[in-house]
């Protein structure tokens, strides 16, 4: 009985780790969007290349809530820059504000 409960907890913990840590790292998208596009967006935020960021942001298939292939969210990266321009632009393009990285 106790062993079954412990193995159930281990399985639940493994499932949680897979869903929170590993799956976003693969950039899986439920809606079929291309995680590479978000990767470029995150790269331009990190490099503080505003013109390239704006150009990327305006692409038709851009999903600002999609994590990059390595699991980085555009909003979290924008906040890290401490430049309100990036954060504001993402909000204007529909980013979900209540996110955690």
């Amino acid at each position: 009985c106790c062993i079954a409960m412990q193995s159930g907890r281990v399985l639940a913990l493994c499932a949680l780790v897979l869903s929170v840590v590993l799956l976003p790292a693969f950039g899986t998208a439920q809606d079929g969007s291309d995680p590479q596009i978000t990767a470029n967006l995150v790269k331009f935020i990190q490099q503080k290349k505003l013109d390239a960021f704006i150009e990327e942001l305006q692409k038709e298939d851009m999903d600002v809530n999609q994590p990059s292939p390595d699991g980085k969210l555009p909003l979290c990266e924008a906040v890290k820059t401490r430049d309100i321009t990036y954060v504001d632009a993402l909000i204007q393009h529909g980013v979900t504000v209540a996110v955690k990285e």
Side-chain angles (χ1 to χ4, degrees):
C1 176
C2 292
I3 293 173
M5 286 179 56
Q6 286 180 340
S7 68
R9 288 182 185 158
V10 169
L11 288 174
L13 180 60
C14 289
L16 178 64
V17 168
L18 281 173
S19 67
V20 172
V21 177
L22 296 179
L23 291 180
F26 291 110
T28 55
Q30 300 298 324
D31 62 0
S33 60
D34 182 4
Q36 188 57 45
I37 291 174
T38 310
N40 293 336
L41 186 68
V42 167
K43 177 180 74 173
F44 295 139
I45 293 169
Q46 291 170 333
Q47 295 173 350
K48 293 189 174 187
K49 293 185 174 182
L50 186 59
D51 291 338
F53 165 75
I54 296 296
E55 185 177 323
E56 199 72 21
L57 191 59
Q58 294 175 349
K59 288 189 174 180
E60 184 176 323
D61 53 349
M62 176 56 64
D63 179 359
V64 294
N65 294 305
Q66 170 74 29
S68 65
D70 59 355
K72 295 184 180 184
L73 293 168
L75 180 59
C76 293
E77 296 305 306
V79 169
K80 289 177 188 176
T81 68
R82 297 180 182 211
D83 185 340
I84 193 70
T85 307
Y86 295 96
V87 175
D88 186 50
L90 288 168
I91 291 170
Q92 296 300 319
H93 281 82
V95 75
T96 301
V97 178
V99 296
K100 293 181 183 178
E101 184 174 54

